[in-house]
Amino acid sequence: MRIIETTLLPVLFILFLFLIGGYLYLSPDQEVSFVEYRSLQQKPEMTLKGIANGEFVKQYEDYFTDQFPGRNLWLKTYLKLQQLSGKTFLNGYYIAEDGTILPEPLKRFNEKEIKQASVNLNKFAGYASSKGAEVYFFGLPHKTTNVVVKMPSFVEIGKNKEKKDYFYSNLSANNMKIVDISEKFKNKYTQEEINDLYFKTDHHWNAEGAYSGYQIIKETLKHSSVYTDIENKYELKCSNKKFEGSYNRQVYDIVDLRVDKPCIKVPVDNKYSEYKVYVNGKKSAYDKVYAAGIEKNSKLIYGHVFTDDIRKINISNPKVEKGNVLIVKDSYGSPITFDIAQHFRKSTVVDIRYNKKQSLKDILDLDTFDAVIFLYNDGILQGELYEFDKAPL
């Protein structure tokens, strides 16, 4: 009896602390999960129609799950228990001994959607070329196709690379220059060196990885007739603040937030501060766009360190005489937007995922561009990023 009491009392005490801590950690009716970065289900309105079709019950179940006191703390504790029990994937993610987080290897992909994305890109390249623009497609190396960690032998390799190769096999080089930076990395670096080019707990490359990618892009753009060669000395500036990676959020920050060191790599002479910058049509400054969140936030995410997802940025370099380019990017392009823009007189940088009013074709038609430069990671090879004839809904 005394053995049972001795074992049970600490467990009950811990559960009591979790309950109390839970209420303090997350009060009911929170609107956003700051771990998952998504909207939480709010208490649904009770209607006869909702009760009749079952929608009210479903929404109320989601509300209860999302708003349960201490939800995030309980889920993190549950994942830690799974980790201690030896489970391979926690919430769909593998955590290596050094803190590197990778999603479960891709089991399948939709060939039809991948091919359609390739067809759309080929078509747009043909249209841009007919308007006199040079077209460059830089496939930026996503973490899932490049970082390798030791996993249990029973885990399948996955189809991430097969998916990427299928996409490239359907691209046409008739109207655009295609550069697979993943392959460039593999020819230039060891696997250990490649791993070091990425955040351990995020799905993006880090400052060194992005800079290495920029160096490869620059070598290709040198062949453009409107490129101006500029050489800058760069320095690495790092913050001691905690960094919350996107993959780490999915496992409720189970990996220490100090595993990754958030850094930026910028020219030593701060030349980018001389550029004319407009964000969504409003005049801004370089340091209000790039690395703007490092000083403002106590805990950093990728967008704080580099650039948040922005619909449209116009950059003008007064010291360069030629080149009006359209840069089409996703979040992987955020660390190197200004690096590429420095080589041209004018750069229009767009993320079509957030451009609700114009299609990429519309943007191309509104100006005379000398070149179109795609900066797309090779982990997303379908969907709205490849819908160029219509604005996203």
Side-chain angles (χ1 to χ4, degrees):
M1 183 67 179
R2 183 171 296 276
I3 294 175
I4 295 175
E5 289 177 354
T6 304
T7 306
L8 193 58
L9 283 174
V11 174
L12 291 174
F13 180 70
I14 291 171
L15 289 174
F16 172 75
L17 289 178
F18 277 143
L19 281 172
I20 298 300
Y23 279 99
L24 295 174
Y25 186 75
L26 178 65
S27 61
D29 294 324
Q30 291 285 310
E31 293 188 1
V32 177
S33 168
F34 294 102
V35 177
E36 298 159 282
Y37 280 66
R38 68 175 179 85
S39 298
L40 295 177
Q41 176 66 49
Q42 301 302 293
K43 189 173 183 178
E45 181 183 356
M46 184 184 293
T47 63
L48 291 175
K49 182 180 179 181
I51 294 173
N53 61 22
E55 190 64 25
F56 173 77
V57 175
K58 181 181 181 303
Q59 290 179 354
Y60 198 90
E61 182 180 343
D62 291 340
Y63 163 73
F64 181 80
T65 302
D66 274 358
Q67 302 291 353
F68 187 83
R71 169 183 177 273
N72 291 347
L73 183 62
W74 284 108
L75 289 172
K76 182 176 181 177
T77 303
Y78 174 65
L79 289 178
K80 282 189 172 181
L81 290 173
Q82 288 185 317
Q83 187 179 38
L84 289 172
S85 70
K87 186 172 181 180
T88 304
F89 294 102
L90 305 179
N91 210 20
Y93 293 86
Y94 180 80
I95 302 176
E97 290 183 2
D98 66 350
T100 297
I101 306 175
L102 283 172
E104 192 170 353
L106 186 69
K107 291 184 172 63
R108 63 186 68 85
F109 60 90
N110 191 317
E111 289 190 6
K112 183 178 179 180
E113 290 185 4
I114 300 293
K115 186 171 184 179
Q116 186 60 57
S118 302
V119 169
N120 291 349
L121 181 57
N122 291 336
K123 181 181 176 182
F124 180 83
Y127 181 72
S129 181
S130 72
K131 294 178 70 66
E134 303 169 2
V135 182
Y136 299 87
F137 181 83
F138 294 102
L140 309 184
H142 194 278
K143 183 178 182 178
T144 54
T145 55
N146 288 271
V147 172
V148 177
V149 298
K150 187 177 180 180
M151 291 189 182
S153 58
F154 58 81
V155 176
E156 296 181 4
I157 294 176
K159 296 182 179 294
N160 298 81
K161 186 177 184 304
E162 185 180 332
K163 172 186 172 183
K164 187 201 78 170
D165 291 344
Y166 181 73
F167 171 81
Y168 278 100
S169 71
N170 287 286
L171 290 185
S172 171
N174 291 336
N175 296 302
M176 64 179 160
K177 175 67 176 177
I178 304 164
V179 181
D180 179 2
I181 297 182
S182 288
E183 294 304 314
K184 300 284 187 181
F185 271 15
K186 290 173 183 176
N187 292 333
K188 187 176 181 180
Y189 303 110
T190 66
Q191 186 58 60
E192 185 178 355
E193 289 172 333
I194 290 176
N195 287 359
D196 288 339
L197 298 178
Y198 293 83
F199 287 112
K200 293 183 184 299
T201 65
D202 197 273
H203 70 281
H204 294 98
W205 51 12
N206 57 28
E208 291 291 359
Y211 180 75
S212 298
Y214 160 64
Q215 292 298 315
I216 294 171
I217 291 170
K218 185 171 68 171
E219 290 304 310
T220 300
L221 292 178
K222 281 182 178 180
H223 300 288
S224 169
S225 59
V226 294
Y227 174 91
T228 298
D229 195 14
I230 295 175
E231 294 293 337
N232 281 317
K233 290 184 178 180
Y234 281 75
E235 62 180 335
L236 197 66
K237 294 182 177 180
C238 298
S239 170
N240 290 321
K241 293 181 180 179
K242 293 180 180 179
F243 178 82
E244 185 181 50
S246 57
Y247 285 163
N248 207 11
R249 287 200 297 272
Q250 300 307 311
V251 290
Y252 295 87
D253 293 342
I254 200 170
V255 176
D256 193 312
L257 299 187
R258 291 165 293 190
V259 164
D260 283 310
K261 196 171 187 64
C263 301
I264 57 174
K265 198 158 189 173
V266 292
V268 295
D269 55 10
N270 199 26
K271 279 187 177 180
Y272 296 166
S273 62
E274 301 172 2
Y275 297 172
K276 294 180 180 179
V277 181
Y278 290 83
V279 176
N280 296 329
K282 295 182 179 180
K283 190 173 182 179
S284 185
Y286 162 69
D287 58 2
K288 300 295 182 183
V289 179
Y290 185 80
I294 289 183
E295 296 301 326
K296 293 179 182 178
N297 297 273
S298 58
K299 181 174 65 175
L300 304 179
I301 61 173
Y302 180 80
H304 297 153
V305 179
F306 300 112
T307 304
D308 280 326
D309 294 324
I310 299 173
R311 177 175 61 85
K312 188 177 183 180
I313 307 172
N314 292 94
I315 305 169
S316 178
N317 182 357
K319 294 187 177 180
V320 171
E321 297 180 353
K322 60 183 178 179
N324 182 21
V325 301
L326 176 60
I327 301 174
V328 191
K329 58 168 278 296
D330 60 19
S331 59
Y332 257 76
S334 296
I336 55 175
T337 296
F338 282 87
D339 298 323
I340 295 173
Q342 71 179 315
H343 300 288
F344 304 97
R345 176 70 178 180
K346 290 172 58 180
S347 299
T348 300
V349 185
V350 298
D351 188 327
I352 63 176
R353 296 172 299 173
Y354 303 97
N355 196 57
K356 305 300 182 183
K357 296 180 179 179
Q358 296 173 308
S359 69
L360 191 62
K361 183 176 178 295
D362 292 334
I363 295 172
L364 187 69
D365 289 339
L366 288 173
D367 204 342
T368 301
F369 292 102
D370 299 305
V372 180
I373 302 169
F374 284 93
L375 304 175
Y376 277 8
N377 80 78
D378 57 27
I380 302 175
L381 301 172
Q382 67 218 65
E384 61 184 352
L385 279 170
Y386 292 89
E387 294 175 357
F388 307 119
D389 293 338
K390 60 181 181 180
L393 299 176

